[in-house]
Amino acid sequence: IGTSQVALNVILVCNAIGETWMIDDVELYRSCPVPIELWYANLIKKDDIFEIKWGTLSESNVDYFSIIKTDFKGTYTELGRVKAAGFSHIPVEYSFIGDTPKGLNYLILREVDYDGYLKDIKYFSIFGNTAISDEWWRRYNFLGQQIK
């Protein structure tokens, strides 16, 4: 977010009399590679403790992963962070262990870039002694229509 500065230096040298150089239709664009290629992400629950395990096949510009808890009231709390490899083209595995929150909660695995951009990459539902499939989590647009 914000303004990026770009400097472009063009040096033209005429080697022959009457030689003409022209630059036409220059386009500048930012290439935005996908920050991660997710390999897997699983929630494992045992007694009063949960563990989220995930792996990436590649990473680009990734600072850390954040584990967020939210309840049905819409309260968001960061439970913790796991430092990412940053830039990697080989599989990397991660895990986070935490205390199971009381009641029905949703856990969000979030990726945060060095630039501050973030993306939620996996949702989990957790309740009591049961881990519920992330398919139970439903998302809606501003018109109230379910997003598949």
Side-chain angles (χ1 to χ4, degrees):
I1 300 175
T3 304
S4 297
Q5 294 182 355
V6 176
L8 178 63
N9 292 326
V10 178
I11 300 172
L12 302 174
V13 178
C14 294
N15 292 328
I17 297 176
E19 185 174 21
T20 304
W21 291 62
M22 295 187 335
I23 298 175
D24 189 19
D25 296 330
V26 174
E27 293 183 32
L28 299 175
Y29 61 92
R30 180 178 176 195
S31 175
C32 297
V34 176
I36 68 161
E37 185 178 356
L38 186 65
W39 181 12
Y40 68 90
N42 298 312
L43 172 68
I44 301 155
K45 179 157 179 342
K46 185 174 182 182
D47 300 325
D48 293 333
I49 297 200
F50 72 89
E51 181 176 16
I52 297 177
K53 291 184 173 190
W54 70 98
T56 61
L57 294 174
S58 66
E59 297 179 25
S60 178
N61 196 40
V62 182
D63 189 8
Y64 63 90
F65 295 95
S66 179
I67 292 73
I68 310 291
K69 173 188 80 113
T70 183
D71 57 22
F72 69 94
K73 296 176 188 175
T75 306
Y76 289 79
T77 307
E78 184 178 59
L79 299 178
R81 294 179 179 187
V82 176
K83 185 69 177 157
F87 295 88
S88 175
H89 295 290
I90 61 171
V92 180
E93 296 183 282
Y94 301 95
S95 71
F96 177 83
I97 297 174
D99 294 327
T100 301
K102 295 183 187 205
L104 176 61
N105 288 272
Y106 308 102
L107 301 176
I108 303 168
L109 177 60
R110 179 176 287 170
E111 171 267 323
V112 182
D113 290 349
Y114 288 114
D115 303 330
Y117 294 105
L118 54 91
K119 181 178 181 189
D120 295 346
I121 55 175
K122 188 73 175 184
Y123 299 90
F124 301 97
S125 300
I126 189 167
F127 181 78
N129 291 330
T130 309
I132 304 169
S133 166
D134 62 320
E135 297 301 319
W136 190 79
W137 177 276
R138 291 183 175 88
R139 290 180 261 172
Y140 296 87
N141 64 18
F142 69 96
L143 297 174
Q145 300 164 328
Q146 184 176 348
I147 300 171
K148 302 258 180 197

